[in-house]
Amino acid sequence: MSHAVSAEIQISVPVNQIPEMPAQVEIEFIEGLRAAVNVKWEAVKLEVKGQPCTFQIKGTAHEITYLDPWIFQRADPHVLKHTDGYYYFTASVPEYDRIILRKAQTLSGLREAHEAVIWVKHETGEMGNHIWAPEIHFIHGKWYIYFAAGTAEDRWAIRPYVLECSDADPMIGQWIEKGKIFLDFESFSLDATTFHHRGEQYLIWAQYQEKDSNLYIAKMANPWTISGPQVLIAKPEHHWEIQGFRVNEGPAVLMRDGRIFVTYSASATDHNYCMGLLEASLEDDLLDARSWRKQPSPVFQTNEETSSYGPGHNCFTVSEDGTLDLIVFHARPYRDLIGSPLTDPNRHAHVQVISWNEDGTPCLGTPGRTAIDVTVVAQMLVQS
């Protein structure tokens, strides 16, 4: 869905001096969403620069757009922009039987990029069923993929597992199984993500305790082993978190200006699926549950106007030039499912711009709004 917006800025310039027009202008373009856009300016009319006056210069911004849907039938999408200049993409496939990987130098390029199968499920035992929600990370010079899987004999015996690749190119490198992440107690657990802070590696994941899928955090001794206790940081408590199922899952980490934000998905994976937000200060002890605060309302949810139903299980990345923060998520284009939420194949991956509220929290906008046509008018004041 495309939207047109306009913005105005003021610039003062001395007589006989050609104004230096800003390459970027920060504008508010949707529901408080702000972003810096690259602007192409008209040429300055020479006849107005020799005396005090006011005049206008118009500029247009390149459209902020990604194809929508972005990648079809790829749920739980995860993107890593690596230091080699490539984006790496992985996601759940409808068959839940393998782990795939794509790479491209642009996000648009990922859409049609070759998809390598880097691992397939076991025929018996652990890692033999329901291969879910892989994430790719680069830690201490090696590639790691975190994913959840059941056993071949019991598809609901879901636990988190780790693969490792030491080769430079994970698309063609050898992946070895590091096995299950052993947690403090045995129960349905999935959606592990990891981040680095002050010399420590952390893991955040979802795990069932009684009837609730909660979020936990722990430090890591290495990329496949937690160390010390796991700490409960969020559980489903609000009305929008308990529709169909009592769920907090799919954590994704975003750090900015001394704060850590964790988005997570809530409720059943139908049109009720939505996203909440946790926050902590990076100065606080992240293993102290009191350090974490939850927003009382969802920050991303179904929008019928854009035909985006059940948006969730996201990650964050940046645009090719590094100027825009982006959210990657999945959603369905319709409300009524084809079969159950798990057998309906049409959870498509999407990518769009996010921005930041005045209080420093992320503003995720509305799912499905991906293209912005911007006109900027510069009011020029020529002073003697």
Side-chain angles (χ1 to χ4, degrees), residues 95-98 119-131 147-158 161 177:
E95 299 80 10
Y96 307 127
D97 63 351
R98 62 195 186 273
W119 183 88
V120 296
K121 69 176 184 177
H122 292 190
E123 292 300 318
T124 61
E126 290 186 338
M127 296 180 278
N129 218 322
H130 271 178
I131 310 304
F147 68 102
T151 68
E153 299 75 23
D154 182 0
R155 63 180 180 172
W156 297 111
I158 304 291
Y161 297 89
E177 296 172 0

Side-chain angles (χ1 to χ4, degrees), residues 84-106:
D84 64 1
Y86 283 88
Y87 289 97
Y88 293 84
F89 170 88
T90 188
S92 298
V93 300
E95 299 80 10
Y96 307 127
D97 63 351
R98 62 195 186 273
I99 294 178
I100 56 90
L101 194 60
R102 303 183 186 194
K103 70 181 279 191
Q105 290 184 304
T106 65

Side-chain angles (χ1 to χ4, degrees), residues 25-295:
V25 174
E26 185 177 85
I27 63 167
E28 180 173 331
F29 53 88
I30 293 176
E31 300 170 355
L33 197 63
R34 300 186 66 85
V37 295
N38 298 321
V39 179
K40 183 177 181 180
W41 297 98
E42 296 176 340
V44 177
K45 295 181 180 180
L46 298 178
E47 64 269 20
V48 302
K49 299 202 307 295
Q51 57 186 345
C53 65
T54 60
F55 65 100
Q56 293 183 345
I57 298 178
K58 289 186 178 181
T60 57
H62 296 296
E63 197 175 65
I64 306 169
T65 183
Y66 294 94
L67 289 172
D68 190 62
W70 175 45
I71 299 177
F72 288 88
Q73 294 191 345
R74 291 295 178 262
D76 312 319
H78 189 263
V79 174
L80 170 67
K81 188 179 184 185
H82 190 47
T83 54
D84 64 1
Y86 283 88
Y87 289 97
Y88 293 84
F89 170 88
T90 188
S92 298
V93 300
E95 299 80 10
Y96 307 127
D97 63 351
R98 62 195 186 273
I99 294 178
I100 56 90
L101 194 60
R102 303 183 186 194
K103 70 181 279 191
Q105 290 184 304
T106 65
L107 288 162
S108 297
L110 283 175
R111 193 172 196 259
E112 303 299 334
H114 165 68
E115 186 171 275
V117 176
I118 58 98
W119 183 88
V120 296
K121 69 176 184 177
H122 292 190
E123 292 300 318
T124 61
E126 290 186 338
M127 296 180 278
N129 218 322
H130 271 178
I131 310 304
W132 283 350
E135 290 194 5
I136 184 167
H137 296 266
F138 192 76
I139 305 170
H140 303 316
K142 296 181 181 182
W143 301 94
Y144 293 91
I145 285 181
Y146 294 79
F147 68 102
T151 68
E153 299 75 23
D154 182 0
R155 63 180 180 172
W156 297 111
I158 304 291
R159 302 292 186 272
Y161 297 89
V162 182
L163 304 178
E164 179 188 75
C165 176
S166 301
D167 298 300
D169 187 347
M171 293 283 292
I172 59 176
Q174 180 182 8
W175 287 90
I176 62 173
E177 296 172 0
K178 303 304 290 187
K180 184 168 70 174
I181 300 176
F182 289 95
L183 306 173
D184 285 358
F185 56 93
E186 278 286 317
S187 66
F188 186 103
S189 48
L190 71 169
D191 295 349
T193 193
T194 186
F195 68 95
H196 189 82
H197 174 56
R198 289 185 173 175
E200 300 279 0
Q201 199 74 28
Y202 291 83
L203 192 76
I204 302 180
W205 71 97
Q207 185 167 6
Y208 269 77
Q209 188 174 46
E210 297 179 352
K211 295 182 179 180
D212 289 354
S213 173
N214 304 322
L215 293 182
Y216 295 86
I217 188 172
K219 285 186 178 180
M220 305 193 78
N222 56 47
W224 58 92
T225 309
I226 67 169
S227 63
Q230 64 182 65
V231 177
L232 173 68
I233 58 172
K235 60 183 179 180
E237 54 190 313
H238 299 297
H239 177 73
W240 50 272
E241 298 176 296
I242 59 173
Q243 299 304 302
F245 293 99
R246 300 176 60 87
V247 171
N248 285 180
E249 65 181 17
V253 173
L254 188 60
M255 289 190 248
R256 188 173 190 259
D257 294 340
R259 297 157 79 179
I260 179 171
F261 302 96
V262 175
T263 54
Y264 64 92
S265 300
S267 289
T269 55
D270 53 17
H271 65 279
N272 291 301
Y273 210 48
C274 60
M275 284 166 47
L277 184 69
L278 299 174
E279 175 190 347
S281 169
L282 288 171
E283 297 297 321
D284 292 340
D285 179 4
L286 300 183
L287 297 183
D288 184 343
R290 295 170 297 181
S291 299
W292 295 90
R293 297 170 296 282
K294 177 189 284 190
Q295 286 203 9

